[in-house]
Amino acid sequence: MIERLFTNALLPDGTATDLAVTDGRFVAIEPDIVADEAVPRIDLGGRLVLPAFVDGHIHLDKSFLGEPWQPHRPAASLRGRLAVEKALLAGVRPAAERADALIAQAARLGTVAMRSHVDVDATTGLSHLHAVMSAREKWRGIVDIELVAFPQAGILTCPGTADILDAAIREGAEVVGGIDPESMDGDSEDHLDVVFGIAERRGAKIDIHLHEAGLPGIAQLHRIAARTRALGLGGRVAVSHAYALGDVDEPALDAVARALADAGVAIMTNAPGDRAFPPILRLREHGVRLFAGNDNIRDAWWPYGNGDMLQRAMLIGYRSGFYSDEDLGVALTMATTEAAKALGLEGRGLEQGAQASFVALPASCGAAAVAAPPAERLVFRHGIGLKLPD
Amino acid sequence: MIERLFTNALLPDGTATDLAVTDGRFVAIEPDIVADEAVPRIDLGGRLVLPAFVDGHIHLDKSFLGEPWQPHRPAASLRGRLAVEKALLAGVRPAAERADALIAQAARLGTVAMRSHVDVDATTGLSHLHAVMSAREKWRGIVDIELVAFPQAGILTCPGTADILDAAIREGAEVVGGIDPESMDGDSEDHLDVVFGIAERRGAKIDIHLHEAGLPGIAQLHRIAARTRALGLGGRVAVSHAYALGDVDEPALDAVARALADAGVAIMTNAPGDRAFPPILRLREHGVRLFAGNDNIRDAWWPYGNGDMLQRAMLIGYRSGFYSDEDLGVALTMATTEAAKALGLEGRGLEQGAQASFVALPASCGAAAVAAPPAERLVFRHGIGLKLPD
């Protein structure tokens, strides 16, 4: 029994297909599907269909999207940047409204799930978390939003933050965050004790911002991998950025790649513009899961970004020297099915039985869409056209 | 006397303005312009206006735009790449039609002038040039197209090419090209003798592809600067890519920057994704003119690109770590007024007396438009809305 039939579409490999949907799931994806006359048909007009996008790393509480333009202000240090951010955020609409604007833009561009880091520290308390949770509530059923309690200002250097992180998990964040254990907090083991301690105690997942460069950053990844293995948290731990993976020679890279793969630690990258970042294909050869996120979008940290995960896939390919269809396809999976898996979302992708959440757009194949993302998008969630909340 | 009045616009600095046009030129750009009741008014709806885009480096004869998707084929060497390109081009529509499709897309996105390199060698002869010249003719008055006779396969290593280059200039190319004098042709001085010889003899401009890395590439730039000075060709010589400028230490960089600035040699970059490229701000401090081009667009060389110079400005900023409004503005000028100057186009930009060619788009200021280029564009040439040729 077919409830809705999408016709005249192209699969990412460029072949023609129909897509049949029942109960919000694909029941068939093949050419020339036969259905009862009464079944509603949606002609996709020869458009390409892609799995709906998953943004593996966003900061919903930080963006100025929808606000008057905020020129970027220089800052001499990370602490200076945090002060600039606090000053700028004091002059814009509340986080719940800004988060809502960004979710809406991402949804229109085809994102149906995201992991948002939310600043949580002893001075901010849970105010950002509560704001983003209220935005999340508004979008429930349209965009799945997972929240990371993110200690942007450090844990050890910002006394009281450990308790607030724990409280954030109790109140509804699914993931406990961390940041640069050594360079930010001065004590890797103590920092990781807090993060992994909360994860173990509360059954939370982990996603740690790691900007630490070179071999110190690699050492950090080994520590995280070892703790993940020891606690049996494979598949529930991610490291965001992990720039160090782009800094070191092949023996060091291969060793840490094996450790990450064995432990089940995933790596998130946004393909930064002006510094080295993880070598995607090499890490995948070792079995490491790589996924993509937009990271900062027009905020106090930088002015770029529009919430589009297809453009993010393009930037990942552009920065990685991905030219072949196969490699461009890797960038696309990082913004779709691999990101879904990293977030623990089951049954995504263009396959029978999967959630019928997809994007239709004017392109001839997936590689073409990544290489030059078209602006036009038709977004379907559970087989139904995107409806924005009131 | 005002012929047309554009109202309700924003300038790149975000301030409100009207724009008055007579005889295709701006006669006033200021708020609240008073005009006779009979003057036609175009309400720009609060859109940002930018100078129309100038693409300083494109390959109109190479693109597969509008063709069925051509998966990228690997090639082990430059010669291998040239063979792949020849094979792929044999299976697509003639160059005149493909060039036309690419010009049309660029025009819709706001480009009103471009410099296209066109392959010219002893085996291809002038066939590509004639094809692109016919496309150029079709677009005359809408998009100004300057052509470079480009010896893609080398000059010395491809006997007969020197004569063909000379013939190309006689037949209508304005610029004589060159490519990697040492690594491609094995003799820098002989290669440059041909290029500068034709330029001097025919009064042509020069634009040399230089991919040579490190100090050999820097030495090449010194040679080009010295010849430019000696022949008094300042302002008429450009080097495209000049990757070496991104490879070397500051003393070497500063020395060659001074030589380029003194000689009047401009540098074109497309901000490649996965290798070092010229440090824009540092070179500008020395007085070097930097300008932007899209380079290859969906062709045998790589799959990326859509002909949009605003996206190119974004990529230049993204790759250069440009965050401030001032720096984002630099990226924008490289795709507009600086590119115009590099091509010898006078009177461009948003100022009284300049050609009234501009793009209106939904953004609050120039920095915002560069950081996240909007898809929607209204394009005006000489104050008239873009009309595509029949």
Side-chain angles (χ1 to χ4, degrees):
Chain A
M1 161 73 195
I2 293 171
E3 285 180 3
R4 293 166 73 80
L5 181 61
F6 295 87
T7 63
N8 195 13
L10 298 175
L11 288 172
D13 67 3
T15 58
T17 195
D18 293 344
L19 307 99
V21 174
T22 299
D23 282 340
R25 298 195 167 270
F26 292 122
V27 291
I29 301 179
E30 58 192 41
D32 305 319
I33 294 175
V34 176
D36 196 274
E37 284 281 310
V39 172
R41 280 168 167 74
I42 300 96
D43 184 341
L44 290 176
R47 288 181 179 81
L48 171 71
V49 289
L50 298 176
F53 305 134
V54 178
D55 192 331
H57 188 123
I58 195 169
H59 290 269
L60 288 174
D61 55 332
K62 292 180 184 291
S63 179
F64 301 137
L65 202 83
E67 297 296 307
W69 178 250
Q70 306 283 338
H72 184 77
R73 290 197 206 166
S77 65
L78 182 58
R79 294 286 162 196
R81 173 63 51 215
L82 294 175
V84 164
E85 177 171 48
K86 214 171 264 290
L88 289 174
L89 286 178
V92 296
R93 286 184 302 165
E97 294 174 39
R98 290 179 290 105
D100 178 61
L102 181 49
I103 299 165
Q105 178 153 317
R108 279 191 293 264
L109 291 164
T111 292
V112 296
M114 53 175 66
R115 170 179 284 182
S116 175
H117 296 251
V118 182
D119 284 12
V120 165
D121 61 46
T123 54
T124 302
L126 298 178
S127 60
H128 288 213
L129 181 70
H130 291 153
V132 176
M133 284 176 72
S134 87
R136 166 163 79 171
E137 207 48 49
K138 180 174 171 187
W139 286 87
R140 190 170 294 283
I142 304 170
V143 178
D144 299 329
I145 302 173
E146 180 177 67
L147 299 179
V148 185
F150 174 46
Q152 169 78 73
I155 299 175
L156 312 177
T157 59
C158 186
T161 296
D163 289 341
I164 299 285
L165 285 176
D166 191 71
I169 300 299
R170 291 199 310 273
E171 295 220 7
E174 293 86 354
V175 189
V176 57
I179 181 169
D180 296 336
E182 192 72 36
S183 60
M184 174 68 110
D185 259 4
D187 192 315
S188 300
E189 299 299 348
D190 284 0
H191 183 101
L192 295 177
D193 279 349
V194 173
V195 174
F196 280 83
I198 293 171
E200 199 184 7
R201 194 159 62 244
R202 304 288 176 199
K205 293 186 274 191
I206 291 174
D207 193 328
I208 298 173
H209 278 67
L210 185 64
H211 313 91
E212 291 173 4
L215 291 175
I218 297 296
Q220 215 62 272
L221 289 166
H222 277 292
R223 279 187 203 103
I224 292 167
R227 284 176 179 259
T228 300
R229 276 178 72 104
L231 294 175
L233 290 176
R236 296 174 61 78
V237 176
V239 176
S240 287
H241 302 305
Y243 294 150
L245 291 168
D247 293 338
V248 296
D249 62 18
E250 291 194 355
L253 176 65
D254 290 345
V256 74
R258 282 191 297 272
L260 293 169
D262 288 351
V265 175
I267 300 293
M268 190 300 302
T269 187
N270 68 333
D274 63 344
R275 73 113 48 237
F277 65 102
I280 291 165
L281 298 184
R282 184 94 181 190
L283 290 165
R284 282 171 55 95
E285 280 169 21
H286 284 285
V288 181
R289 167 155 291 140
L290 276 290
F291 66 110
N294 272 311
D295 197 18
N296 299 91
I297 295 172
R298 188 174 292 203
D299 61 20
W301 296 79
W302 75 350
Y304 296 94
N306 62 358
D308 183 5
M309 284 306 294
L310 189 55
Q311 174 169 294
R312 184 60 49 191
M314 183 275 279
L315 288 170
I316 285 171
Y318 190 72
R319 288 289 283 120
S320 298
F322 289 172
Y323 292 1
S324 71
D325 283 13
E326 184 182 352
D327 291 351
L328 291 165
V330 167
L332 184 59
T333 64
M334 288 174 62
T336 55
T337 48
E338 287 299 295
K341 287 173 186 162
L343 270 57
L345 299 168
E346 301 291 332
R348 304 300 175 109
L350 298 175
E351 54 187 42
Q352 200 176 322
Q355 187 183 102
S357 294
F358 60 98
V359 183
L361 68 186
S364 59
C365 63
V370 172
E376 185 207 301
R377 313 283 165 94
L378 300 177
V379 183
F380 298 90
R381 180 82 203 259
H382 300 297
I384 307 292
L386 177 68
K387 287 200 197 82
L388 301 182
D390 300 328
Chain B
M1 161 72 194
I2 294 171
E3 285 180 3
R4 293 166 73 81
L5 181 61
F6 294 88
T7 64
N8 195 15
L10 298 174
L11 288 172
D13 67 3
T15 58
T17 196
D18 293 344
L19 307 98
V21 174
T22 298
D23 282 341
R25 298 196 167 269
F26 292 122
V27 291
I29 300 179
E30 57 192 42
D32 306 319
I33 295 175
V34 176
D36 196 273
E37 284 281 310
V39 172
R41 281 168 167 72
I42 300 97
D43 184 342
L44 290 176
R47 287 181 180 81
L48 171 71
V49 289
L50 298 176
F53 306 134
V54 178
D55 192 331
H57 188 123
I58 195 169
H59 290 269
L60 288 174
D61 55 333
K62 292 180 184 290
S63 180
F64 301 137
L65 203 82
E67 296 296 307
W69 178 250
Q70 306 284 337
H72 184 78
R73 290 198 207 165
S77 66
L78 181 58
R79 294 286 163 197
R81 173 64 50 214
L82 294 175
V84 164
E85 177 171 48
K86 213 171 265 289
L88 289 174
L89 286 179
V92 296
R93 286 184 301 165
E97 294 174 40
R98 291 179 290 104
D100 178 61
L102 181 50
I103 299 165
Q105 178 154 316
R108 279 191 294 263
L109 290 164
T111 292
V112 296
M114 53 175 66
R115 170 179 284 182
S116 175
H117 297 251
V118 182
D119 285 12
V120 165
D121 61 48
T123 54
T124 302
L126 298 178
S127 60
H128 288 213
L129 181 70
H130 291 153
V132 176
M133 285 175 71
S134 87
R136 166 164 78 172
E137 207 49 47
K138 180 174 170 187
W139 286 87
R140 190 170 294 283
I142 305 170
V143 178
D144 298 329
I145 302 172
E146 180 177 68
L147 300 179
V148 185
F150 173 47
Q152 169 78 73
I155 298 174
L156 311 177
T157 59
C158 186
T161 296
D163 289 341
I164 299 286
L165 286 176
D166 192 72
I169 300 298
R170 291 199 310 273
E171 295 220 7
E174 294 86 354
V175 189
V176 57
I179 181 169
D180 295 336
E182 192 72 36
S183 60
M184 175 68 109
D185 259 4
D187 192 314
S188 300
E189 299 299 348
D190 283 0
H191 183 101
L192 296 177
D193 279 349
V194 173
V195 174
F196 280 84
I198 293 172
E200 199 184 8
R201 194 159 63 244
R202 304 289 175 199
K205 293 187 273 191
I206 292 173
D207 193 329
I208 298 173
H209 278 66
L210 184 65
H211 313 92
E212 291 173 4
L215 291 175
I218 297 296
Q220 215 62 272
L221 289 166
H222 278 292
R223 280 186 202 103
I224 292 167
R227 284 175 180 260
T228 301
R229 277 177 71 104
L231 294 175
L233 290 176
R236 296 174 61 79
V237 176
V239 176
S240 287
H241 302 306
Y243 294 149
L245 291 168
D247 293 338
V248 296
D249 62 17
E250 291 193 355
L253 176 65
D254 290 345
V256 74
R258 282 191 296 272
L260 293 168
D262 287 351
V265 175
I267 300 292
M268 190 299 303
T269 187
N270 68 333
D274 63 344
R275 73 111 51 237
F277 64 102
I280 292 165
L281 299 184
R282 184 96 182 188
L283 290 164
R284 282 171 56 94
E285 280 169 20
H286 284 285
V288 181
R289 167 155 292 140
L290 275 291
F291 66 109
N294 273 310
D295 197 17
N296 298 92
I297 295 172
R298 189 173 291 203
D299 61 20
W301 296 79
W302 75 350
Y304 296 94
N306 62 358
D308 183 6
M309 284 306 294
L310 189 55
Q311 174 168 294
R312 184 60 49 191
M314 183 275 279
L315 288 170
I316 285 171
Y318 190 72
R319 289 288 283 121
S320 299
F322 289 173
Y323 292 0
S324 70
D325 283 13
E326 184 182 353
D327 291 352
L328 291 164
V330 167
L332 184 59
T333 63
M334 288 173 62
T336 55
T337 48
E338 287 299 295
K341 287 173 186 163
L343 269 57
L345 300 168
E346 301 291 332
R348 304 301 174 108
L350 298 174
E351 54 188 42
Q352 200 176 323
Q355 186 183 101
S357 294
F358 60 98
V359 183
L361 69 185
S364 58
C365 63
V370 172
E376 185 207 301
R377 313 283 166 94
L378 301 177
V379 183
F380 298 90
R381 180 82 203 258
H382 299 297
I384 307 292
L386 176 68
K387 286 199 198 84
L388 301 182
D390 301 328

